[in-house]
Amino acid sequence: MLDYATLRVIWWALLGTLLIGFAIMDGFDFGVAGLLKVLGRDNEERQVLLEGIEPTWEGNQVWFILAAGATFAAWPMLYAVAFSGMYLAIALVLLALILRPVGFNFRGKIHDPRWASLWDWVLTGSGLAVMLVAGIAFGSLFLGLPFRFDDDLRMSWHGGFIDLLHPFALLCGLVSLSMLLAHGACFAAMKADHAIAARAVATARWATLVFAVLYVLAGVWLAWGIPGYAIVGPAATEGVSNPLYKQVAVGSSWFAGYMRYPWFWTAPLLALAAAVGVQALVDRRSVAGFLASSLMVGGTIASAGFALFPFLLPASLDPRSSLTVWDASSSRGTLQLMLVVTAVLLPVVILYTGWVYRVMRGRITLDQVRKAHGGY
Amino acid sequence: MIPIDTDVVTLSRLQFALTALYHFLFVPLTLGLVWMLAIMESVYVMTGREVWKRMVQFWGVLFGINFAMGVATGVTMEFQFGMNWAYYSHYVGDIFGAPLAIEGLMAFFLEATLIGVFFMGWDRISRIKHLLVTWFLALGTSLSALWILIANAWMQHPVGSEFNPATMRMEVTSFSEVFFNPVAQEKFVHTVSAGYVLGAMFVLSISAWYLLRGRNLDFAKRSMTVAASFGLAAALSVVVLGDASGYTVSLNQKMKMASIEAMWHTEPAPASFTLFGIPDVQQRTTHYAVKIPWVMGLIGTHSIDETMPGIAELVDAAKGRIGNGIQAYDAMLMLRQDKDNPQAKATLAAHDKDLGYALLLKKYVDDPRQATPADIQKAADSTIPNVPVLFWAFRIMVGCGFYFIALFAFSFWKASTRTLDSQRWYLRLALWSLPLPWIAIELGWIVAEYGRQPWAIEGVLPTALGVSSVSAGQVLTSLGGFVFFYTALAIVDVFLMLKFARKGPDGLGIWPPAITAIPSDRP
């Protein structure tokens, strides 16, 4: 029987794992979709790129659905505040996610270049929108979100869509965009016909370089330009899940956690080392480059999560209302049950996902695509 | 307490109802069709006859179009609780979130991961492995329905949980009670059976159209035979277990049952069933009622001596519960000042099951403790759902159910005697019956969900309190977006479905195999 504080930390780590899983697995789909018109010069080339992700994108997207579902179960207040507060941003992401399944399915159902091109644009647009909005939303957490709770723990939000567009948040949006474009390009380099893969290698190198510069820039800005949040006094790590029982001071540094737990530095260092790895490995056009970009994605998200710890959603209007790991979780019973369920089922999921990738392995060539579609 | 904006409540409810009903146009077809694919592929693997594989591939094309729509519209449902029902998510997320998360882990991952191999793996894995993929795909869809219905059943019959005043939310006391909720089991069987009926009708109707046109004769007759036997079993199950579902409703949601029946006052047991009538909400009576003695009492209580309470009596009972709820509310506020107050703790423990009834008053007065008798009467009256809608929705649904049994039984007889194409009127009937399962299914959800009003969680949380702190303009924006994109997608979906159904296995080069073109089996 684990104590409440430990369960909360485990669920914080699991939330991070699911987000990283989403960013790695679904991120390359978004990246490839976003680069569809850049890497694929004609309909056949775009067909090759899409066939690379077609057999598996649907399972990949479940990482996001699961991250939302697990947040609902383990961090209900986080789910409620984030989804209702950033209402229109989430609605935009939702729209992008709705159009993807039908886009993949419907694109090839009518043989007309205009029809295919329409869905290419839909997939490109939805990929770009999700990558950008996800980064902006994550970045705006460091600025604090304009919400507060009343005594019934009903949240009220005082801001609109435009308020999310702070320059720092926009910078984070670009970090996310360049990171996932690089990741998608690494996948294309591994999976697509060599004619396309050559272009993907160049794109991956550029995008990784841009990412590394912006990422460091965001870190510097965060260290010197953005005040951190801190819980006043010792945190009630075993306390009830009611954010209003604590006091929060604004003005410290978001790097306080890094000073306290030096091992946190492994995350940003991993991200940067992996960026170097992408530069070195991507022209092998093998799984090595893709693994490097996956580590880059994982390290980046972990570094942001570490900086926030123990905060989940800082509240700028009323800092006391901020959601933290210690006061926004589900009850102990729910965390415990969900931990058991996840520990049993997630490895099974990873196992059969691995099997599917193995079955569908191999480079998609232009010849294959021409042959398969010549029959119509 | 932030005043609840009634426009936001209305728009949020409208958006949820539209997106949920829309989502459920696709889900039941997925649920039913996937098992038909599994059956056909099993026959293929057992007999090795190519036509059965081609049947899987042809129906698979239509399945794929529908599956994409189901997945796309399902994402909305997972997001919408947080977006539009934030207080609901906070208030019951401790219990309600778990089955949704488990659905993702256990079921949705399975189906979404395997769907790619189902379509694109025919030449990459052995026959047996592909068959296993199809079976696991089918299992995944049904497991998905199971967990979603466990979550839904908890909204209808919230077991295994209690209110925690320190966190201002419901918290779980027993997950086994939540997972083995009797309402969930009956809802599951009833709902998936309804999906199987729809899947069978889909194959039956389109095949009948081929026979009417004299195309794909062999292919269509085989498909109809599978549809007729699968459909007959499903139709019997949906009606018989619909009855069990009625029985549960009467225990847990007496008000819903009384409204379905338009039973304004308690009748002596066993109550009669109103076959037809015009419910009059103002006068609280049903005009021109045609009643069948005993039937309702038998369905509702499975006994001849138990009475079923009428609407008026249930409103009186609600008044009593509102009174208790006010005491619980008062105790809750005292505990907020002093969390160890023993008297308040005892009062809350005695009445926390009725706390939700005090929350009904928030629609009429800011502080339920200040409610006047008139407010209490209004709140008690608000527990009556929309009687005429429930009355008619239920009757049309049940009528459809009996019609399905008759149609599939007749189809089964014709398939057994190999006379499927002997009578054109039968084929036309089968073709034109296609929309009926959709109508029955949508009405079923209206009975279940609209009949639960004014509650989001029966007896625990009124729907109006569950909304987010968003503006009516924001909800209107998203609602407009949904209406626009869902309409566009519906047009494309119907267009593609018709296109591929019209082309048929012959036009697509799937069967007969003399045409050597490669089938369009990409999703």
Side-chain angles (χ1 to χ4, degrees), chain A residues 4 47 51 54-66 68-74 76-77 79-85 87-88 90-91 93-95 97-99 101-102 104-106 108-111 115 119 150-157 159-161 240-242 245 328-335 337-338 341-342 345-346 349 352-353 355-356 358-362 364 368 371-373 375-376, chain B residues 1-2 4 15 61 64-65 67-69 71-73 75-84 86-90 92-98 100-102 104-106 108-110 112-117 120-121 124-125 129 133 164-169 171-172 175 179 329 332-333 336 362 464-470 474-475 477-478 482 485-486 489 492-493 495-496 499-500 517-523:
Chain A
Y4 206 1
Q47 187 80 36
E51 284 191 15
E54 235 174 43
T56 46
W57 72 270
E58 199 139 25
N60 295 342
Q61 190 150 310
V62 182
W63 282 93
F64 193 41
I65 312 289
L66 181 63
T71 309
F72 197 175
M77 297 180 100
Y79 172 74
V81 174
F83 278 60
S84 66
Y87 189 82
L88 291 177
I90 298 281
V93 170
L94 177 57
L95 174 65
L97 293 181
I98 289 172
L99 290 176
V102 288
F104 280 111
N105 189 298
F106 292 176
K109 290 279 189 282
I110 296 175
H111 292 280
W115 177 258
W119 288 108
D150 69 7
D151 288 335
D152 289 333
L153 292 186
R154 179 177 290 278
M155 185 275 284
S156 59
W157 184 277
F161 187 57
V240 294
S241 283
N242 185 329
Y245 288 179
S329 76
S330 284
S331 66
R332 203 175 153 196
T334 299
L335 292 185
L337 174 99
M338 289 308 299
V341 171
T342 310
L345 290 178
L346 199 57
V349 169
Y352 63 64
T353 303
W355 179 75
V356 167
R358 215 172 68 86
V359 167
M360 304 309 298
R361 71 183 177 277
I364 313 280
Q368 275 173 17
K371 243 182 245 162
H373 292 268
Y376 277 109
Chain B
M1 182 77 216
I2 291 155
I4 303 293
Q15 180 175 301
V61 173
I65 298 170
F67 188 84
M69 291 291 286
V71 170
T73 54
V75 183
T76 310
M77 305 318 295
E78 189 93 15
F79 277 43
Q80 208 169 182
F81 290 104
M83 288 174 69
N84 292 84
Y87 199 63
Y88 170 98
S89 302
H90 154 70
V92 300
D94 197 65
I95 306 117
F96 188 81
L100 292 197
I102 297 174
L105 265 171
M106 188 185 280
F108 194 26
F109 247 128
L110 189 63
T113 306
L114 293 183
I115 189 90
V117 181
M120 285 162 256
R124 287 176 178 257
I125 48 177
K129 275 190 186 158
V133 165
N164 181 348
T167 53
M168 279 303 290
R169 68 182 180 192
E171 291 185 355
V172 78
F175 266 118
F179 295 162
Y329 189 85
M332 177 192 85
L333 291 187
R336 205 174 275 173
K362 292 241 182 187
L465 286 191
V467 291
S468 302
S469 92
V470 290
Q474 284 177 314
V475 186
T477 308
S478 61
F482 279 123
F485 282 102
Y486 275 18
L489 289 179
V492 177
D493 177 75
F495 173 78
L496 289 176
K499 177 187 154 178
F500 284 91
I518 286 152
S520 166
D521 59 358
R522 277 164 218 293

Side-chain angles (χ1 to χ4, degrees), chain A residues 11-60:
Chain A
W11 267 101
W12 172 74
L14 275 176
L15 177 63
T17 307
L18 290 175
L19 282 177
I20 291 171
F22 158 63
I24 291 178
M25 302 297 288
D26 217 8
F28 75 77
D29 292 345
F30 289 122
V32 170
L35 292 169
L36 207 51
K37 294 275 183 181
V38 177
L39 298 180
R41 299 255 162 103
D42 57 29
N43 191 35
E44 270 174 359
E45 291 194 355
R46 288 193 280 276
Q47 187 80 36
V48 168
L49 285 164
L50 288 175
E51 284 191 15
I53 53 179
E54 235 174 43
T56 46
W57 72 270
E58 199 139 25
N60 295 342

